[in-house]
Amino acid sequence: MDKLKTGIKNLDGILSGGIPVYSLNIVSGSPGSGKTILVQNIIFNSARNGLKSLYLTTISESQFKMVRHLQEFEFFSDEFLGDKFIYGDLGTVLRKQGTEKILEYLTEMIKRHEPNIFVIDSFKAIRDIFPDEKTFKAFVFDLAAALSIWEITVFLIGEYEEIELTRLSEFAIADGIFHLYGQEEKRFQKRYLRILKMRGTNFENGEHLFQISPAGIEVYPRIKPKGKELQYGVRQGRKGFGITGLDEMMDGGLTEGTITLLSGGTGTGKTSLALKYLLDGAEKGENGLFLSFEEPTSQLMDNARYLGWELDKYLADGRLDIKFISPIELDVDVHAFEILNMVRGNKVGRLVIDSISSFESSVSDMQKYKDYLWAIAHQLKMRNITSIFTVLNEDLFSPASVTKDQISLIADNIIMLRYVEEKSSIKKILGILKARGTNHDRDIREYEITPNGINVLGKLDKANMLR
């Protein structure tokens, strides 16, 4: 089946290649949800592929006002107006000649311009003019029959609420239904798109975040696991920290393609351990990516220099990359998708997210937070990327707590960092709580962070220090 390429970032992927040609599609949503911009973006992208569009406005918005608003977008180009992009005023016909002349006018316009794409904006405005549902329903079926004669792809735009999508007659004739809506989530005003129906092609269901930027519409597909359970392949390769004592405790390092939670209180050294893990990989020729949601790059570089680590040459040759993302601007729906893009584009073998606790602060729905982590973990494991997620444990002296949200379920390995008291001094200790497929050390060991690096010391021999 031939498809109409929308040309919108990630939308064609969600639609398995695009919208089936000659289909009739309804784009619904409340005022301001982005319906008109979505369709206009598709039309201008299609014009660049040589397709002609006929766009009829009704009484809801004049074509002059519409063009004035569209001029702000990068996809807009006035060179297509009058040639590949034909505007028509259906509103005047409705006001002066009444609803009985609509089909005649539409047929005349289609015959005259022979478009590939045909749009009515707003179709809901036409519905509101008809005296009763019975008359409008008859018009809808006559319209569907008339449009089916022409080889055109149709978009009907309307200000419909979601509850109307299952009971109004126009949705019975639709091959495809796009529903756009927005909602407040913490400090973000978010927009979502759902494809409720699309005959003749597979599509990704569920809600997909989209943004309206100067470039136009950008869609961020819902990230989800590809199966009901994580498929864990047993691998033999190891990726160490380059810290002798810790690598020995892990029987040589982290198993390739696994997820590790590095849990600890503030100041225990989670970031330093994770950075050393990437540095060890860079020294062996592996590409590593450090995503920091807490410390800017300059601060991480200063910390590394204090520990005697020179990151500059690896940052220069691309083996190491550090990205700082402000937690104030963090939108987990967008960044989860972009993280996977960066990993794929840079051929990353080692990844650190510091910390996933920052994800939590940007998500109002805890179940959604867990779903995202589950999906990201699954995607990283599918790509055989050995990843470390650092987690802030607010209970500095807790002997057993890793996280408060049971996200440890996503981890193959768990390394715990914490403080203990001894003779009026505070020491740091670490232990391996879990290491799937590894005969790991069960001891709890003291460690130190000095200007010469990180050293794992002897076994903790005073059990009462953990109380």
Side-chain angles (χ1 to χ4, degrees):
M1 174 177 289
D2 293 333
K3 302 278 184 74
L4 172 70
K5 301 287 186 184
T6 69
I8 290 177
K9 181 179 179 181
N10 299 317
L11 182 55
D12 289 325
I14 293 172
L15 290 164
S16 296
I19 299 171
V21 296
Y22 313 147
S23 59
L24 190 153
N25 305 278
I26 296 180
V27 181
S28 69
S30 57
S33 58
K35 306 179 297 300
T36 295
I37 296 173
L38 173 69
V39 175
Q40 296 269 7
N41 202 159
I42 293 173
I43 286 176
F44 275 98
N45 290 345
S46 299
R48 291 180 171 83
N49 293 325
L51 301 182
K52 179 190 284 188
S53 298
L54 174 60
Y55 196 105
L56 300 183
T57 57
T58 60
I59 57 176
S60 62
E61 188 169 13
S62 75
Q63 55 188 296
F64 303 105
K65 185 177 178 182
M66 187 176 294
V67 170
R68 188 165 63 248
H69 291 163
L70 288 173
Q71 287 175 332
E72 302 300 320
F73 291 101
E74 293 174 9
F75 64 75
F76 178 84
S77 175
D78 56 9
E79 68 176 289
F80 297 126
L81 299 179
D83 178 18
K84 297 298 183 185
F85 200 140
I86 312 297
Y87 275 111
D89 181 12
L90 182 58
T92 301
V93 176
L94 287 169
R95 289 191 297 275
K96 295 184 176 180
Q97 302 182 47
T99 55
E100 62 274 12
K101 294 294 183 181
I102 296 177
L103 284 179
E104 182 181 334
Y105 175 74
L106 297 182
T107 302
E108 178 189 337
M109 291 291 284
I110 291 172
K111 283 183 177 178
R112 184 191 308 170
H113 297 290
E114 298 182 344
N116 305 101
I117 301 172
F118 175 69
V119 183
I120 298 179
D121 184 7
S122 144
F123 194 68
K124 182 68 178 301
I126 295 178
R127 158 180 273 281
D128 294 340
I129 290 175
F130 275 79
D132 55 60
E133 181 65 25
K134 182 179 179 180
T135 310
F136 179 73
K137 189 173 183 179
F139 163 75
V140 166
F141 284 99
D142 287 344
L143 174 67
L147 291 175
S148 65
I149 297 173
W150 306 94
E151 292 185 341
I152 51 178
T153 305
V154 178
F155 293 94
L156 305 178
I157 301 173
E159 295 76 24
Y160 297 96
E161 297 298 330
E162 187 164 1
I163 193 172
E164 297 177 305
L165 307 186
T166 57
R167 61 182 178 84
L168 297 184
S169 54
E170 52 266 49
F171 291 93
I173 64 169
D175 300 303
I177 300 175
F178 296 83
H179 185 58
L180 280 56
Y181 55 98
Q183 61 189 46
E184 292 282 348
E185 289 186 19
K186 288 228 170 171
R187 54 187 172 272
F188 298 104
Q189 172 63 46
K190 293 191 172 183
R191 300 173 189 266
Y192 290 99
L193 174 153
R194 280 196 293 147
I195 301 168
L196 304 181
K197 179 182 180 183
M198 189 59 65
R199 290 179 180 137
T201 187
N202 293 324
F203 61 90
E204 291 284 346
N205 57 21
E207 64 180 16
H208 307 286
L209 179 80
F210 76 94
Q211 294 181 337
I212 301 175
S213 72
I217 301 286
E218 298 175 336
V219 180
Y220 295 89
R222 181 171 71 95
I223 297 176
K224 64 177 183 178
K226 296 295 184 184
K228 293 182 180 180
E229 297 180 356
L230 292 180
Q231 299 299 315
Y232 182 74
V234 177
R235 296 183 174 89
Q236 301 300 321
R238 298 280 173 173
K239 293 184 184 296
F241 286 80
I243 302 170
T244 302
L246 180 56
D247 290 340
E248 289 175 353
M249 292 179 71
M250 296 292 299
D251 197 23
L254 307 176
T255 305
E256 286 184 354
T258 56
I259 303 292
T260 300
L261 286 189
L262 190 54
S263 172
T266 182
T268 51
K270 301 182 298 299
T271 299
S272 296
L273 271 171
L275 200 55
K276 183 66 171 70
Y277 165 71
L278 293 192
L279 177 61
D280 184 66
E283 290 171 345
K284 295 172 180 173
E286 300 176 56
N287 289 353
L289 175 62
F290 193 104
L291 297 176
S292 173
F293 298 106
E294 297 183 351
E295 297 182 58
T297 303
S298 58
Q299 187 172 333
L300 289 170
M301 296 285 287
D302 288 342
N303 293 344
R305 292 189 187 99
Y306 167 77
L307 296 168
W309 305 335
E310 290 297 332
L311 306 180
D312 301 69
K313 64 178 181 180
Y314 300 117
L315 291 169
D317 68 17
R319 272 183 278 179
L320 190 58
D321 193 7
I322 299 175
K323 300 288 187 187
F324 171 69
I325 301 168
S326 168
I328 303 299
E329 300 300 325
L330 177 62
D331 183 337
V332 69
D333 294 275
V334 175
H335 286 290
F337 184 81
E338 291 185 340
I339 285 170
L340 296 176
N341 266 351
M342 282 189 281
V343 164
R344 183 168 48 243
N346 297 336
K347 297 180 180 179
V348 168
R350 300 187 183 209
L351 170 70
V352 170
I353 298 178
D354 183 33
S355 71
I356 60 170
S357 304
S358 298
F359 274 59
E360 178 183 342
S361 64
S362 67
V363 180
S364 55
D365 183 343
M366 285 310 300
Q367 185 57 51
K368 186 174 183 179
Y369 168 63
K370 294 176 185 177
D371 289 346
Y372 267 99
L373 290 180
W374 179 268
I376 290 173
H378 181 77
Q379 295 285 339
L380 293 172
K381 293 181 72 170
M382 285 179 59
R383 291 168 171 79
N384 195 31
I385 297 164
T386 314
S387 308
I388 290 179
F389 298 169
T390 69
V391 185
L392 176 64
N393 186 343
E394 296 177 352
D395 190 346
L396 301 183
F397 293 88
S398 170
S401 175
V402 177
T403 73
K404 63 181 180 181
D405 300 313
Q406 298 182 335
I407 57 176
S408 56
L409 295 175
I410 68 172
D412 302 293
N413 316 304
I414 299 175
I415 301 175
M416 174 199 69
L417 309 179
R418 59 166 295 228
Y419 296 106
V420 294
E421 296 179 39
E422 184 185 35
K423 297 179 180 178
S424 301
S425 64
I426 297 175
K427 294 185 176 181
K428 295 174 180 174
I429 62 168
L430 63 82
I432 314 298
L433 296 186
K434 174 183 177 182
R436 184 172 288 160
T438 300
N439 184 25
H440 65 89
D441 192 325
R442 267 72 177 176
D443 292 335
I444 296 174
R445 297 181 181 274
E446 186 179 351
Y447 69 99
E448 62 180 8
I449 301 175
T450 74
N452 296 318
I454 301 174
N455 302 307
V456 175
L457 307 175
K459 174 182 175 182
L460 188 70
D461 58 359
K462 297 180 180 179
N464 60 357
M465 290 171 64
L466 290 177
R467 294 174 183 168

